Amino acid sequence: MRRLPALRAAVAALLLTTALSGTGAHAAAAGPADEPLPAAAGLLDGMRTDLGLTRQQAERRLAAERAATALEPRAERAAGHAYGGSWFDPDEERLVVAVTDRQKAADVRALGADVRLVTHSAARLDAVKKRIDALPAPAGVAGWHVDPRVNGVVVTVVRADRNGPAVRAFVERARRAGPVVVAEAERAPVTYAAGTVGGDPYYTGNVRCSIGFSVHGGFVTAGHCGRAGAAVRGWDGSAMGTFQGSSFPGDDYAYVSIHSGWWTVPVVLGWGTVPDRLVRGSAEAPVGASVCRSGSTTRWHCGTVLAKNETVNYSQGAVHQMTKTSVCAEGGDSGGAFISGDQAQGVTSGGWGNCASGGETWFQPVNEILGRYGLRLHTA
């Protein structure tokens, strides 16, 4: 376990009213957790660094994203069978809802959302994606997802392989399933586990990964980091816990129970770059919203949600229901936390690129993991 001084150990029990800062052994922040600006400071700093926003722009955007997140489920209910998906427009700072019926469009617009009339409903596009999920995908296909902004299923191919016979054949079969748009990626996605490196959050076997979110009794992380029954060592090499459940490929999530002497806290580390973040819930941010990631290799980086329910085609096999982001990551960041504001979003799975030149990263949504294992998120 972490050897905290007595005062710090006592503070750890008061996380409902304090935030933590720093790396390794954490000291308590002075301000109360319910002060909105200090609680959002880490996210604001990340948005300024990675999204190029001023503090004022970042604050205004966060407020707009919170409003869009609250409005999205109401808009979906109002649209009913005509719902075609939704996304956050960062330029207009409003939620945009796609609908297939003009009368339903009026109902949704009355709630305060912008509306786009489209041809295909979300249910229709989800059915198309499900048929594509059943196709065997070659290595040159990076993944596919429903994109409400184009009202179709986007199939992403690796640029260098786009004219290969296997990729072309897959795209042709996908187009027979329904409306498909082809996009290109620089490289194929890979998972972000890494060999053992000292001083990082946890290890299993010879793999280093990152803790995602605390749940009552343990934490959630990426499934490719370890199989059920595997022992977990903490940052200091001492026995920490055991993988109770793990799924990869198909999914990429896992649940680790912790031993006596370790405890869970509703915190995402800012690694000294930004103040640590308190976790207050798991409301799902819309496409287009800002999101930040904490991992043991590249620490804290931010970007935006690019797509949801994407099937990612790793070399080990396809993983379904992933969320795609513009956030960078590198080896060892696997399993780490994605957070929007103070709302848990998911655990880092994989991607392409790095944090020097940029890239894209996918996460497995946290609510799916909680439901799968019957877990309760530890919140402040």
Side-chain angles (χ1 to χ4, degrees):
M1 60 174 282
R2 296 192 178 203
R3 304 296 194 258
L4 297 180
L7 175 60
R8 289 180 180 172
V11 168
L14 301 175
L15 285 172
L16 294 182
T17 56
T18 60
L20 301 177
S21 64
T23 65
H26 309 303
D34 57 359
E35 291 181 2
L37 211 53
L43 183 56
L44 292 172
D45 290 342
M47 292 170 73
R48 287 188 298 179
T49 300
D50 294 324
L51 299 181
L53 302 177
T54 67
R55 185 179 185 89
Q56 184 179 19
Q57 288 171 332
E59 289 174 339
R60 187 173 64 246
R61 178 159 167 176
L62 281 175
E65 288 176 356
R66 284 193 295 269
T69 299
L71 178 57
E72 190 173 37
R74 295 170 55 212
E76 181 176 356
R77 288 193 297 270
H81 68 276
Y83 182 69
S86 56
W87 64 95
F88 179 78
D89 184 336
D91 294 326
E92 299 296 328
E93 296 185 334
R94 291 169 63 85
L95 183 72
V96 183
V97 181
V99 295
T100 61
D101 180 89
R102 288 186 180 275
Q103 178 57 52
K104 293 294 185 180
D107 295 341
V108 172
R109 192 176 290 111
L111 295 176
D114 286 345
V115 174
R116 299 288 184 274
L117 284 170
V118 296
T119 303
H120 308 290
S121 69
R124 157 75 171 145
L125 296 178
D126 286 343
V128 172
K129 180 186 176 291
K130 187 174 182 180
R131 286 195 287 272
I132 298 175
D133 284 344
L135 301 176
V141 175
W144 51 97
H145 66 274
V146 171
D147 190 337
R149 292 164 295 189
V150 301
N151 197 222
V153 177
V154 176
V155 174
T156 304
V157 301
V158 179
R159 182 167 293 120
D161 300 324
R162 66 185 185 278
N163 293 321
V167 171
R168 291 168 65 91
F170 179 88
V171 171
E172 289 174 5
R173 289 195 295 271
R175 281 179 167 147
R176 289 197 290 270
V180 162
V181 176
V182 177
E184 294 182 358
E186 288 292 333
R187 290 185 293 279
V190 296
T191 54
Y192 281 133
T196 300
V197 178
D200 292 290
Y202 83 89
Y203 310 91
T204 178
N206 64 348
V207 170
R208 168 172 61 85
C209 281
S210 302
I211 293 172
F213 293 97
S214 287
V215 296
H216 291 273
F219 62 86
V220 293
T221 186
H224 70 263
C225 291
R227 298 191 177 278
V232 171
R233 305 187 307 280
W235 68 276
D236 59 355
S238 65
M240 183 183 192
T242 305
F243 276 84
Q244 296 298 326
S246 178
S247 180
F248 179 80
D251 308 294
D252 194 6
Y253 51 59
Y255 162 52
V256 175
S257 63
I258 56 174
H259 299 325
S260 174
W262 292 82
W263 60 89
T264 63
V265 292
V267 170
V268 172
L269 296 177
W271 294 101
T273 304
V274 298
D276 294 350
R277 306 285 299 144
L278 285 174
V279 178
R280 300 187 185 277
S282 58
E284 186 177 327
V287 170
S290 57
V291 67
C292 293
R293 178 193 55 74
S294 179
S296 61
T297 298
T298 58
R299 301 188 172 185
W300 184 269
H301 286 277
C302 298
T304 58
V305 177
L306 299 177
K308 296 183 181 182
N309 192 24
E310 176 152 12
T311 297
V312 180
N313 191 35
Y314 293 127
S315 61
Q316 301 95 325
V319 177
H320 307 292
Q321 296 178 316
M322 302 276 272
T323 297
K324 181 180 183 180
T325 76
S326 64
V327 186
C328 67
E330 296 179 16
D333 287 329
S334 278
F338 267 89
I339 188 167
S340 182
D342 56 10
Q343 299 296 304
Q345 299 299 305
V347 300
T348 303
S349 174
W352 63 267
N354 55 55
C355 289
S357 59
E360 295 174 334
T361 302
W362 284 261
F363 67 78
Q364 185 90 65
V366 69
N367 287 331
E368 180 184 357
I369 310 172
L370 300 176
R372 169 64 178 81
Y373 296 117
L375 304 173
R376 187 159 57 95
L377 189 68
H378 192 164
T379 57

